[in-house]
Each structure stands twice: as C-alpha cells, then as structure tokens.
Amino acid sequence: MTTFLGMPALPAFGSGNLFAGESFPTAAHRELGNAQLRANLGHATHTIRDKRQAVVAELPDWEQLRDAGSAIKQAVMARLPELLEEFETNFTARGGVIHWARDAREANEIVAGLVRDTGETEVVKIKSMATQEIGLNEYLEEQGIGAFETDLAELIVQLDHDKPSHILVPAIHKNRTEIRDIFLREMPGADPALTDDPSVLAMAAREHLRRKFLTAKVAVSGANFALADSGTLAVVESEGNGRMCLTLPETLITVMGIEKLLPTWQDLEVFMQLLPRSSTGERMNPYTSLWTGVTEGDGPQNVHLVLLDNGRSAALADEMGRSALHCIRCSACMNVCPVYERTGGHAYGSTYPGPIGAILSPLLTGIEAEENNSLPYASSLCGACYDACPVKINIPDILVHLRSVDVDSKRGKKKVPSQMDVGMKAASWALSSGKRLGLVEKGLPLGRLAAGPDRKITKLPGIAAGWTQSRDIPAPPAQSFRDWWAKEHRNAGGAPGTPGTPEAGPSRTLSPDTKETPQ
Amino acid sequence: MTAREDILSRIRAALQDSPQAPQIPREYRAASELDMDALIELLVDRLVDYKAQVAVVPETEVPARIASLLDGARSFVVPEGFDAGWLAGTGDDGGSRRRVDSPAAPLSVAELDGIDAVVTGSAVAVAETGTIILDGSANQGRRAISLVPDHHICVVKAADITGILPEALGRIDGTRPITMISGPSATSDIELERVEGVHGPRRLDVIIAR
C-alpha cells in the first residue's frame, strides 16, 4: 500500500514477557525476605565476577576490544536497515528462509506455523533470550506443541515450572539440593539414589535428554550474532546441547532480535573475545557453532530465521537509550550489581533482569507501561555495571534519563497530590531561603521530644515510615548549627554571621558525646 | 504493509536524527609474536586447563598415538578425507571397527550413537584461548560425527596453530559449517561449579603433530 509511504511510523512497543507484573519495590521487598536466595546469589555472583576479573586481566588489549565493540555496535544501530537487508540477501542466497515479526504474537505464530508444516508436535530448544521474551514455550504448549529446553539450567527451571532469574545462568537462584529434589520429583525415571553432586546431576540431565536429541526433527534456537557480509549465524554455548539441536534435526528455526547483527565476519573476532570472558569468566566457551543458510549433507536442510522487532525499533528511537540495544547478553552487569545481588532476578519481573533489564525492559515496552516504570529506580547508580559492560553501555546515564522520562510522563496526570509531592513542596519552600530554613529549625527540639529518653526515633508517620522500617533515627540536636554559630560568634565577640577567629571553627571537633552541647 | 516493510520503516523513522556510523578503532592486537614452541606450550596449557588430554608428538608418531588412544574403543568413526596413513596403527578391519563417514554414505544418528570414538583433523587452532576450529573440510567431516560419539580424538598440525583469535578467524571461510571447540563439553549451571561432560563428547584428546 503505497499510501502509507512517508507517514511517520509510530513507536511500536514490545509485548510478551517484557512486563513486570508488579512494581520492583513490591517484588524486591518480598524477595529480600528469602535468605536462601540471597546466600545462593551472593556466592554465585562473587564467584563469577572473580573469575571474570582474572581472565579479563590476562588480555593486554581489553580496553581496545571494548572500544572496538562499542563502536561496532554504534555503527550497527546507525546502519541497521541496510545491514538487515545485506544479511537477508546473503542468508537467503545460501538456502535460508527469513521471516519478519513485528511483535511477540507474530513471532510465536510464525514459529508454530513452521513447526506445524513439518508435521511434528515436539521441538528441542536451545536456551534463548528472544524466545523467552516472546513466551514461545507457553504459546507452543497452547498449540499442542511440546517445547523441551535442553540447556541444563533452562531444563531445571522448566521442570520446576519456575522462571529464569539470570540471563546466563537461569537457575542461579537454586542450590544443588533444590535441583536434586526437582529432578527426583519431575524427571521420569530419575534414579531415587540421585545425589546432589553437580556432576551426578549433569549426568542425569544427559540421560534424560539423550533420546530427545537423537530423534528430534525440529529445533528452535536463538542466535548470539549474525554477520551481515556473510549471512552467518552464531550460537555460543558450553554443554553441546546447542550443537545437538543445531546439527541433528531436519528443521532449524532461529529467533533473533534485529539488533544482534554485526557488519562483517571480521567483527566476530572482537565479540568472541569480549563475550566469553565477560559472561562465564572463561577464555573461551566450550562450543561455538556457525552456520550460513543450508550446507548440503551437513546439518538441517530446512533453515529458518525469524527477525524480531518487538519494541526494538521503539528503543532505537530513544537517542539516549538506544545504546541499550548494544547489549550482547553477557550478564556481567548483573553479577556486579549490589541491587541484583540482594533482590535476585525475579524481582525485575521482565525476561531481562539486573541493570541492563532496568533500562532495556522499559525501553522495549515504553516507560508508561504499567509497573515497568519503577525499574529505572532499581539502582544505586554506583556505576559498577558501566565498568563491567564489555561494550561500554552507559547504564547509569540511561537510568537517570529514563527516570526523567518517567517523571515527565506523569506530570500533570495526578489530581490528588501525594505525600511525596506535599513533602517535596514543603522542602522546596524551606530550602529556598535561609530565613525559612532557620524558622523550620526552631522546631528541632520537638523531634527530641518525639525521640524520648532513648534518643531514638523508631517510627515515622506516612511514607517516611519506609525509612524507619529497618533503621532508627537518632534524636536531632538541641539546637541547630545556625543557632550555635550565631551564639558562638556572639560569645567570641564577633558580629553574628561573620567568620570568627580561626580557633573558633575547625579546631572544635564535635565528638558524638559533645555534639548536642556545643560550647 | 508486510511485516518486513513495516519493521524497516519503523527503524528508518527511529533513526530520523541520522546518527553517523563511527570509524571502528581496531587498536586491539591483530597478531601475536610467539614462536612455534611458545605457541604449542600455550595451547597445551589452555587445553589442559579445560580438562582435555594433550600429547605433542612428531608427525611420524601420530599413528601410534591414535592407535593407543583407541585401545579401549570397540568402534570409531573417521571422515572419508582423514589421512589414511595416520590410521595405520588401528588396522583396517574392513569396516566393523573402523567406520568411515562420507557425503555419499553418511552414518545415521543411531549408528553414530553406537560408536565409541571419533578421529578428526582440524582447520586451525588458537593458542591463547585453547580453541580448535573445525570447518567441515574432508579431514574433519560433517558436524554430527564429532558430536555424538563420547570420545573425540582431534589431530592439530603445528602449522595450523595461531596465537590469537583474529589470526585464526582470518584463515577461515565463514560460510562453511563451523564448530569451535575449547575443551570437552562442560556446564557451570549448578552453583557455578564446572562439570566436564554433558551432551557433547565427554572426553577430548588432542594430538599436536609437529
């Protein structure tokens, strides 16, 4: 329809598992009560970040690789339409078939249709964030197609009817005993004598999946990279389940976000150095598979790729936020994040947890999407994520930017001012003039009265109660600094408000014992 | 509008500010300066770190090494283009123990599952990361044969060892079906404890022929 040409495209936000079901503060508050989770996570994130640090330090050119990676991704975003077309031409020329999907629903329908065309009712799956994002497994299930996760961690999560909590190690929130219990409960034919030794559990998974691999006719995967100049796709993995799925079935269906492109084959040398070291802290992951369309006599002969937008074009439209699309899903940011470490991945609600999720999810769904607007606040802005990111995504800056977008989007919408609004207004009135502040400070002794004889305020009213829920506030001093200064300088013979003698100022260190009764 | 047109026009609209593609700074290392001995030493160190078994032998001793590694195997598979001289020690039994996989007569998945070991060559290796790259050439065969049997014996020629990844990828045709192997199958999904061997070959023997 040529009539549509030239009309500005509206931002088309994503759908599927990108939405938090509840706000981050609510979910985090609940997750913080789980001491087991926190212990598992603390151990896991510290182990992985130490390993990462060690292998990153081995490379003399790590910063140069980051610079190259960052620039390559910037170039990809700037040239995205032409690169997609170039990739399409090359992949198609070698026998691959490309499908385009605007959103989760469309992608799910395409995949289900392709599976149905094969006459099969089962697929084996390689761990993939894109299919997690669109909720493919659940959709296929509704269509009568069984989807079997083959990555060990995804298998654990699937067997437990749980959700992944980390993008690299989805079952990081579970320890070995919990995993053994899940296997015993959910894995048909599991040995009742199964121990919780990780190698024993891995072998149980091998037994469980072996037949599936050898007989599966259809596999579904994601892709880590797509190289435009050769039409090549890449999957990076460890266990060999990826190789099984990519090689043995007759039909291979890959779902990939449109931002995963790299312009040239040469660019792979940058990302294959950045990704393994950043994600698992290894010099190289055990297995990487690369395929370009169809190769006669080797691997699947029906090869499909679903190119997924699902909000990526909307994220791209945000000039400040678009670099969130540079993400290569290494998860280094979540392993160094003090907030993720304590709340775990489920608190973020969306498929993408941690610092990158806090910016990516609201960019893909729009900040006005219900509950996702609390995600940009799920951060201390400490910047550890920015330091760890192999492609230098400035997550803290984007978080601040999204907070301002959130505030702007709410402006003028509220009819009744909230306690926060009233408080802020009062603070603004008081802080805008020295006289007003002095007046307010006259009320300090009232706070002492409220604190009582133990000199602690343990309960504040209204929204301020959140502050006193986990800490006490010491009683305010009997007089304000302003009053003390005025009195001091009157005593010292100076005029009030003028600088006193040198001895009067800095030499008077106020110890905790004396601070309430300055001389 | 088709989804394709729709998505491409959305992307073009999103880029209305016309961002410029920057020059890519490629100041990272393009090559290493290690000599052959150092390359071999580094590759061995990395492979052993991944729990692969490694032997460095003169080319003349490759047949004996392969034969001894296959000692316990009831059957093994080789790709059609594998150097027959290297199999001299295993004895040609006419096909009951030594199976040959070829494009004309590929083995079925079930057959591969019943075979104990596989012997292949390799295209290129990366010392710094302990990575061996197979590109489906005649001496490596199709991807399935180096995947399904539980024991992979892989011969790496010293001349094919590079120092760092950019050198190795520069030698490869990216449109071939490629498998990059760094140690045997492994997982770290349970409490991040590394366990060797899940779905891919649980035993990897590398013979470096110099």
Side-chain angles (χ1 to χ4, degrees), chain A residues 158-207:
Chain A
Q158 188 179 42
L159 285 175
D160 199 33
H161 316 285
D162 191 8
K163 281 188 171 166
S165 67
H166 188 282
I167 66 176
L168 182 82
V169 272
I172 200 170
H173 57 294
K174 296 192 190 298
N175 60 28
R176 60 185 75 192
T177 320
E178 294 171 282
I179 294 166
R180 183 202 54 197
D181 294 345
I182 294 165
F183 280 13
L184 285 176
R185 194 178 68 232
E186 302 283 341
M187 214 181 243
D191 179 359
L194 200 64
T195 69
D196 64 4
D197 180 335
S199 62
V200 171
L201 295 170
M203 285 314 107
R206 179 187 171 97
E207 282 302 308

Short mmCIF file of all heavy atoms in Angstrom, two decimals, chain A residues 158-207:
data_model
loop_
_atom_site.label_atom_id
_atom_site.label_comp_id
_atom_site.label_asym_id
_atom_site.label_seq_id
_atom_site.Cartn_x
_atom_site.Cartn_y
_atom_site.Cartn_z
N GLN A 158 12.50 -25.19 33.79
CA GLN A 158 11.29 -25.69 33.13
C GLN A 158 10.66 -26.83 33.95
O GLN A 158 9.45 -26.84 34.16
CB GLN A 158 11.60 -26.18 31.72
CG GLN A 158 10.35 -26.52 30.91
CD GLN A 158 10.67 -26.97 29.49
OE1 GLN A 158 11.60 -27.73 29.25
NE2 GLN A 158 9.88 -26.50 28.54
N LEU A 159 11.49 -27.74 34.43
CA LEU A 159 10.96 -28.86 35.23
C LEU A 159 10.28 -28.35 36.51
O LEU A 159 9.31 -28.93 36.98
CB LEU A 159 12.08 -29.83 35.59
CG LEU A 159 12.61 -30.75 34.48
CD1 LEU A 159 13.80 -31.56 34.97
CD2 LEU A 159 11.52 -31.67 33.94
N ASP A 160 10.82 -27.27 37.06
CA ASP A 160 10.27 -26.74 38.30
C ASP A 160 9.12 -25.77 38.06
O ASP A 160 8.61 -25.18 39.01
CB ASP A 160 11.39 -26.04 39.10
CG ASP A 160 11.02 -25.87 40.56
OD1 ASP A 160 10.32 -26.74 41.11
OD2 ASP A 160 11.43 -24.86 41.16
N HIS A 161 8.71 -25.60 36.81
CA HIS A 161 7.63 -24.66 36.47
C HIS A 161 7.94 -23.28 37.03
O HIS A 161 7.07 -22.57 37.50
CB HIS A 161 6.27 -25.15 36.97
CG HIS A 161 6.05 -26.61 36.70
ND1 HIS A 161 5.75 -27.07 35.43
CD2 HIS A 161 6.13 -27.69 37.49
CE1 HIS A 161 5.65 -28.40 35.47
NE2 HIS A 161 5.88 -28.80 36.71
N ASP A 162 9.22 -22.93 36.97
CA ASP A 162 9.69 -21.67 37.53
C ASP A 162 10.06 -20.74 36.37
O ASP A 162 9.88 -21.09 35.20
CB ASP A 162 10.93 -21.98 38.40
CG ASP A 162 11.38 -20.81 39.25
OD1 ASP A 162 10.67 -19.79 39.31
OD2 ASP A 162 12.47 -20.91 39.87
N LYS A 163 10.60 -19.57 36.70
CA LYS A 163 11.07 -18.65 35.67
C LYS A 163 12.56 -18.44 35.84
O LYS A 163 13.06 -18.44 36.96
CB LYS A 163 10.35 -17.30 35.79
CG LYS A 163 8.96 -17.32 35.21
CD LYS A 163 8.39 -15.92 35.17
CE LYS A 163 7.09 -15.93 34.37
NZ LYS A 163 6.33 -14.71 34.56
N PRO A 164 13.28 -18.20 34.71
CA PRO A 164 14.71 -17.91 34.83
C PRO A 164 14.93 -16.63 35.64
O PRO A 164 14.08 -15.74 35.62
CB PRO A 164 15.15 -17.68 33.38
CG PRO A 164 14.07 -18.22 32.52
CD PRO A 164 12.81 -18.15 33.31
N SER A 165 16.06 -16.58 36.37
CA SER A 165 16.30 -15.39 37.19
C SER A 165 17.60 -14.69 36.81
O SER A 165 18.00 -13.73 37.45
CB SER A 165 16.36 -15.78 38.67
OG SER A 165 17.50 -16.58 38.91
N HIS A 166 18.26 -15.18 35.76
CA HIS A 166 19.54 -14.62 35.35
C HIS A 166 19.64 -14.96 33.88
O HIS A 166 19.18 -16.01 33.46
CB HIS A 166 20.65 -15.31 36.16
CG HIS A 166 22.03 -14.73 36.00
ND1 HIS A 166 22.82 -14.99 34.91
CD2 HIS A 166 22.78 -13.93 36.81
CE1 HIS A 166 23.99 -14.36 35.05
NE2 HIS A 166 23.98 -13.70 36.20
N ILE A 167 20.24 -14.09 33.06
CA ILE A 167 20.20 -14.38 31.62
C ILE A 167 21.24 -15.40 31.19
O ILE A 167 21.09 -16.03 30.17
CB ILE A 167 20.30 -13.09 30.76
CG1 ILE A 167 21.65 -12.41 30.91
CG2 ILE A 167 19.19 -12.11 31.10
CD1 ILE A 167 21.79 -11.21 29.99
N LEU A 168 22.27 -15.58 31.98
CA LEU A 168 23.29 -16.56 31.59
C LEU A 168 23.11 -17.88 32.33
O LEU A 168 23.22 -18.96 31.75
CB LEU A 168 24.69 -16.01 31.88
CG LEU A 168 25.79 -16.97 31.45
CD1 LEU A 168 26.06 -16.84 29.97
CD2 LEU A 168 27.04 -16.77 32.27
N VAL A 169 22.89 -17.80 33.62
CA VAL A 169 22.69 -19.00 34.44
C VAL A 169 21.30 -18.90 35.08
O VAL A 169 21.17 -18.47 36.22
CB VAL A 169 23.81 -19.13 35.50
CG1 VAL A 169 24.99 -19.88 34.93
CG2 VAL A 169 24.28 -17.78 36.00
N PRO A 170 20.29 -19.29 34.32
CA PRO A 170 18.90 -19.03 34.72
C PRO A 170 18.50 -19.66 36.06
O PRO A 170 17.55 -19.20 36.69
CB PRO A 170 18.08 -19.64 33.58
CG PRO A 170 19.03 -19.74 32.43
CD PRO A 170 20.38 -19.96 33.02
N ALA A 171 19.21 -20.72 36.48
CA ALA A 171 18.84 -21.39 37.72
C ALA A 171 19.79 -21.01 38.85
O ALA A 171 19.93 -21.74 39.83
CB ALA A 171 18.84 -22.91 37.51
N ILE A 172 20.39 -19.86 38.73
CA ILE A 172 21.39 -19.43 39.72
C ILE A 172 20.77 -19.30 41.11
O ILE A 172 21.46 -19.36 42.13
CB ILE A 172 22.02 -18.09 39.26
CG1 ILE A 172 23.36 -17.85 39.95
CG2 ILE A 172 21.10 -16.92 39.49
CD1 ILE A 172 24.15 -16.68 39.36
N HIS A 173 19.46 -19.11 41.16
CA HIS A 173 18.80 -18.91 42.46
C HIS A 173 18.55 -20.23 43.19
O HIS A 173 18.06 -20.22 44.31
CB HIS A 173 17.49 -18.14 42.27
CG HIS A 173 16.51 -18.80 41.31
ND1 HIS A 173 16.77 -18.94 39.97
CD2 HIS A 173 15.30 -19.35 41.52
CE1 HIS A 173 15.75 -19.54 39.38
NE2 HIS A 173 14.85 -19.80 40.30
N LYS A 174 18.89 -21.34 42.55
CA LYS A 174 18.66 -22.64 43.20
C LYS A 174 20.01 -23.29 43.56
O LYS A 174 20.96 -23.19 42.80
CB LYS A 174 17.91 -23.57 42.26
CG LYS A 174 16.52 -23.07 41.94
CD LYS A 174 15.71 -24.16 41.26
CE LYS A 174 14.42 -23.59 40.71
NZ LYS A 174 13.56 -23.03 41.77
N ASN A 175 20.05 -23.98 44.68
CA ASN A 175 21.27 -24.69 45.01
C ASN A 175 21.12 -26.17 44.67
O ASN A 175 20.06 -26.64 44.26
CB ASN A 175 21.70 -24.46 46.46
CG ASN A 175 20.66 -24.94 47.45
OD1 ASN A 175 19.89 -25.86 47.15
ND2 ASN A 175 20.62 -24.34 48.62
N ARG A 176 22.20 -26.92 44.83
CA ARG A 176 22.25 -28.30 44.34
C ARG A 176 21.18 -29.20 44.96
O ARG A 176 20.63 -30.06 44.30
CB ARG A 176 23.64 -28.87 44.54
CG ARG A 176 24.11 -28.91 45.99
CD ARG A 176 25.55 -29.38 46.09
NE ARG A 176 26.49 -28.34 45.68
CZ ARG A 176 27.78 -28.57 45.45
NH1 ARG A 176 28.27 -29.79 45.56
NH2 ARG A 176 28.59 -27.59 45.12
N THR A 177 20.89 -28.97 46.22
CA THR A 177 19.88 -29.81 46.88
C THR A 177 18.50 -29.56 46.31
O THR A 177 17.73 -30.50 46.06
CB THR A 177 19.87 -29.52 48.40
OG1 THR A 177 21.20 -29.34 48.84
CG2 THR A 177 19.20 -30.61 49.17
N GLU A 178 18.21 -28.29 46.07
CA GLU A 178 16.91 -27.97 45.47
C GLU A 178 16.82 -28.60 44.08
O GLU A 178 15.76 -29.11 43.68
CB GLU A 178 16.76 -26.45 45.35
CG GLU A 178 16.66 -25.72 46.70
CD GLU A 178 16.72 -24.20 46.54
OE1 GLU A 178 17.83 -23.67 46.35
OE2 GLU A 178 15.68 -23.56 46.61
N ILE A 179 17.93 -28.57 43.33
CA ILE A 179 17.93 -29.12 41.97
C ILE A 179 17.73 -30.64 42.01
O ILE A 179 16.95 -31.19 41.22
CB ILE A 179 19.23 -28.73 41.24
CG1 ILE A 179 19.26 -27.21 41.03
CG2 ILE A 179 19.35 -29.46 39.91
CD1 ILE A 179 20.60 -26.65 40.63
N ARG A 180 18.39 -31.30 42.95
CA ARG A 180 18.19 -32.75 43.06
C ARG A 180 16.72 -33.06 43.35
O ARG A 180 16.12 -33.96 42.74
CB ARG A 180 19.05 -33.33 44.18
CG ARG A 180 18.90 -34.85 44.27
CD ARG A 180 19.27 -35.39 45.62
NE ARG A 180 18.52 -34.72 46.68
CZ ARG A 180 18.86 -34.74 47.95
NH1 ARG A 180 19.95 -35.37 48.33
NH2 ARG A 180 18.13 -34.11 48.85
N ASP A 181 16.13 -32.29 44.23
CA ASP A 181 14.73 -32.53 44.57
C ASP A 181 13.81 -32.34 43.36
O ASP A 181 12.86 -33.09 43.16
CB ASP A 181 14.30 -31.61 45.72
CG ASP A 181 15.03 -31.95 47.02
OD1 ASP A 181 15.62 -33.06 47.09
OD2 ASP A 181 15.04 -31.12 47.95
N ILE A 182 14.14 -31.33 42.55
CA ILE A 182 13.33 -31.09 41.34
C ILE A 182 13.46 -32.28 40.39
O ILE A 182 12.47 -32.77 39.84
CB ILE A 182 13.80 -29.79 40.63
CG1 ILE A 182 13.49 -28.57 41.50
CG2 ILE A 182 13.13 -29.65 39.27
CD1 ILE A 182 14.22 -27.31 41.08
N PHE A 183 14.68 -32.76 40.19
CA PHE A 183 14.90 -33.90 39.29
C PHE A 183 14.12 -35.12 39.78
O PHE A 183 13.47 -35.82 38.99
CB PHE A 183 16.40 -34.22 39.18
CG PHE A 183 17.15 -33.31 38.24
CD1 PHE A 183 16.57 -32.14 37.76
CD2 PHE A 183 18.44 -33.63 37.82
CE1 PHE A 183 17.27 -31.31 36.89
CE2 PHE A 183 19.14 -32.80 36.94
CZ PHE A 183 18.55 -31.64 36.48
N LEU A 184 14.22 -35.39 41.08
CA LEU A 184 13.53 -36.56 41.63
C LEU A 184 12.03 -36.46 41.44
O LEU A 184 11.34 -37.43 41.16
CB LEU A 184 13.86 -36.72 43.12
CG LEU A 184 15.26 -37.26 43.43
CD1 LEU A 184 15.49 -37.28 44.93
CD2 LEU A 184 15.46 -38.65 42.83
N ARG A 185 11.52 -35.25 41.58
CA ARG A 185 10.08 -35.04 41.52
C ARG A 185 9.56 -35.02 40.08
O ARG A 185 8.50 -35.53 39.77
CB ARG A 185 9.76 -33.70 42.21
CG ARG A 185 8.30 -33.47 42.53
CD ARG A 185 8.12 -32.14 43.25
NE ARG A 185 8.39 -31.01 42.39
CZ ARG A 185 9.23 -30.01 42.68
NH1 ARG A 185 9.88 -30.00 43.81
NH2 ARG A 185 9.42 -29.03 41.83
N GLU A 186 10.35 -34.42 39.16
CA GLU A 186 9.80 -34.11 37.83
C GLU A 186 10.38 -34.92 36.67
O GLU A 186 9.85 -34.87 35.57
CB GLU A 186 10.00 -32.61 37.53
CG GLU A 186 9.38 -31.66 38.54
CD GLU A 186 7.87 -31.53 38.38
OE1 GLU A 186 7.35 -31.87 37.30
OE2 GLU A 186 7.22 -31.10 39.36
N MET A 187 11.50 -35.58 36.90
CA MET A 187 12.15 -36.26 35.78
C MET A 187 11.72 -37.73 35.78
O MET A 187 12.05 -38.47 36.71
CB MET A 187 13.66 -36.17 35.98
CG MET A 187 14.45 -36.06 34.72
SD MET A 187 16.20 -35.98 35.18
CE MET A 187 16.64 -34.39 34.59
N PRO A 188 10.99 -38.15 34.76
CA PRO A 188 10.55 -39.53 34.75
C PRO A 188 11.75 -40.48 34.76
O PRO A 188 12.71 -40.26 34.01
CB PRO A 188 9.77 -39.66 33.43
CG PRO A 188 9.55 -38.28 32.95
CD PRO A 188 10.60 -37.41 33.56
N GLY A 189 11.72 -41.45 35.61
CA GLY A 189 12.79 -42.44 35.63
C GLY A 189 14.06 -41.98 36.32
O GLY A 189 15.11 -42.61 36.16
N ALA A 190 13.99 -40.89 37.07
CA ALA A 190 15.19 -40.43 37.77
C ALA A 190 15.56 -41.45 38.84
O ALA A 190 14.69 -42.01 39.51
CB ALA A 190 14.96 -39.06 38.39
N ASP A 191 16.86 -41.68 38.98
CA ASP A 191 17.35 -42.64 39.97
C ASP A 191 17.05 -42.14 41.38
O ASP A 191 17.49 -41.05 41.75
CB ASP A 191 18.87 -42.80 39.76
CG ASP A 191 19.50 -43.77 40.74
OD1 ASP A 191 18.77 -44.31 41.58
OD2 ASP A 191 20.73 -43.97 40.64
N PRO A 192 16.30 -42.91 42.18
CA PRO A 192 15.94 -42.44 43.54
C PRO A 192 17.18 -42.20 44.41
O PRO A 192 17.11 -41.46 45.38
CB PRO A 192 15.11 -43.59 44.11
CG PRO A 192 14.74 -44.44 42.96
CD PRO A 192 15.75 -44.22 41.88
N ALA A 193 18.31 -42.81 44.01
CA ALA A 193 19.54 -42.64 44.80
C ALA A 193 20.35 -41.44 44.34
O ALA A 193 21.50 -41.27 44.74
CB ALA A 193 20.38 -43.91 44.71
N LEU A 194 19.76 -40.61 43.49
CA LEU A 194 20.43 -39.43 42.96
C LEU A 194 21.03 -38.58 44.09
O LEU A 194 20.33 -38.24 45.04
CB LEU A 194 19.40 -38.60 42.18
CG LEU A 194 19.87 -37.58 41.15
CD1 LEU A 194 20.57 -38.27 40.00
CD2 LEU A 194 18.66 -36.81 40.62
N THR A 195 22.32 -38.25 43.97
CA THR A 195 22.92 -37.36 44.98
C THR A 195 22.85 -35.92 44.48
O THR A 195 22.41 -35.68 43.37
CB THR A 195 24.40 -37.72 45.23
OG1 THR A 195 25.14 -37.36 44.07
CG2 THR A 195 24.56 -39.19 45.53
N ASP A 196 23.30 -34.99 45.32
CA ASP A 196 23.27 -33.60 44.87
C ASP A 196 24.62 -33.14 44.32
O ASP A 196 24.86 -31.95 44.18
CB ASP A 196 22.76 -32.67 45.98
CG ASP A 196 23.69 -32.65 47.17
OD1 ASP A 196 24.77 -33.29 47.11
OD2 ASP A 196 23.35 -31.99 48.17
N ASP A 197 25.49 -34.09 43.98
CA ASP A 197 26.76 -33.76 43.34
C ASP A 197 26.47 -33.20 41.93
O ASP A 197 25.79 -33.84 41.13
CB ASP A 197 27.59 -35.05 43.24
CG ASP A 197 28.94 -34.82 42.58
OD1 ASP A 197 29.07 -33.84 41.80
OD2 ASP A 197 29.86 -35.62 42.84
N PRO A 198 26.97 -31.99 41.62
CA PRO A 198 26.68 -31.40 40.30
C PRO A 198 27.00 -32.32 39.13
O PRO A 198 26.26 -32.33 38.13
CB PRO A 198 27.55 -30.14 40.28
CG PRO A 198 27.67 -29.74 41.71
CD PRO A 198 27.72 -31.04 42.48
N SER A 199 28.07 -33.13 39.23
CA SER A 199 28.38 -33.99 38.08
C SER A 199 27.35 -35.12 37.95
O SER A 199 26.99 -35.51 36.85
CB SER A 199 29.80 -34.56 38.20
OG SER A 199 29.90 -35.36 39.35
N VAL A 200 26.85 -35.60 39.08
CA VAL A 200 25.79 -36.62 39.04
C VAL A 200 24.51 -36.03 38.44
O VAL A 200 23.84 -36.66 37.61
CB VAL A 200 25.53 -37.16 40.47
CG1 VAL A 200 24.29 -38.04 40.50
CG2 VAL A 200 26.75 -37.90 40.99
N LEU A 201 24.21 -34.81 38.83
CA LEU A 201 23.00 -34.16 38.32
C LEU A 201 23.13 -33.88 36.82
O LEU A 201 22.18 -34.04 36.05
CB LEU A 201 22.74 -32.86 39.08
CG LEU A 201 22.41 -33.04 40.56
CD1 LEU A 201 22.41 -31.70 41.29
CD2 LEU A 201 21.05 -33.73 40.73
N ALA A 202 24.34 -33.48 36.39
CA ALA A 202 24.55 -33.23 34.96
C ALA A 202 24.37 -34.51 34.16
O ALA A 202 23.79 -34.51 33.06
CB ALA A 202 25.94 -32.64 34.73
N MET A 203 24.83 -35.63 34.71
CA MET A 203 24.67 -36.91 34.02
C MET A 203 23.20 -37.34 33.95
O MET A 203 22.76 -37.93 32.96
CB MET A 203 25.50 -38.00 34.70
CG MET A 203 27.00 -37.91 34.44
SD MET A 203 27.43 -37.63 32.69
CE MET A 203 27.94 -35.93 32.74
N ALA A 204 22.46 -37.01 34.99
CA ALA A 204 21.02 -37.32 34.96
C ALA A 204 20.34 -36.54 33.84
O ALA A 204 19.48 -37.06 33.13
CB ALA A 204 20.39 -36.98 36.31
N ALA A 205 20.77 -35.28 33.66
CA ALA A 205 20.20 -34.46 32.58
C ALA A 205 20.59 -35.05 31.22
O ALA A 205 19.79 -35.07 30.29
CB ALA A 205 20.71 -33.02 32.70
N ARG A 206 21.82 -35.55 31.13
CA ARG A 206 22.28 -36.15 29.88
C ARG A 206 21.39 -37.35 29.51
O ARG A 206 20.90 -37.45 28.39
CB ARG A 206 23.74 -36.60 30.03
CG ARG A 206 24.31 -37.27 28.79
CD ARG A 206 25.70 -37.83 29.08
NE ARG A 206 26.19 -38.65 28.00
CZ ARG A 206 27.00 -38.22 27.03
NH1 ARG A 206 27.40 -36.97 27.03
NH2 ARG A 206 27.41 -39.02 26.07
N GLU A 207 21.19 -38.21 30.49
CA GLU A 207 20.34 -39.38 30.27
C GLU A 207 18.94 -38.96 29.82
O GLU A 207 18.37 -39.49 28.88
CB GLU A 207 20.20 -40.17 31.58
CG GLU A 207 21.40 -41.02 31.91
CD GLU A 207 21.70 -42.01 30.81
OE1 GLU A 207 20.77 -42.75 30.41
OE2 GLU A 207 22.85 -42.02 30.33
#
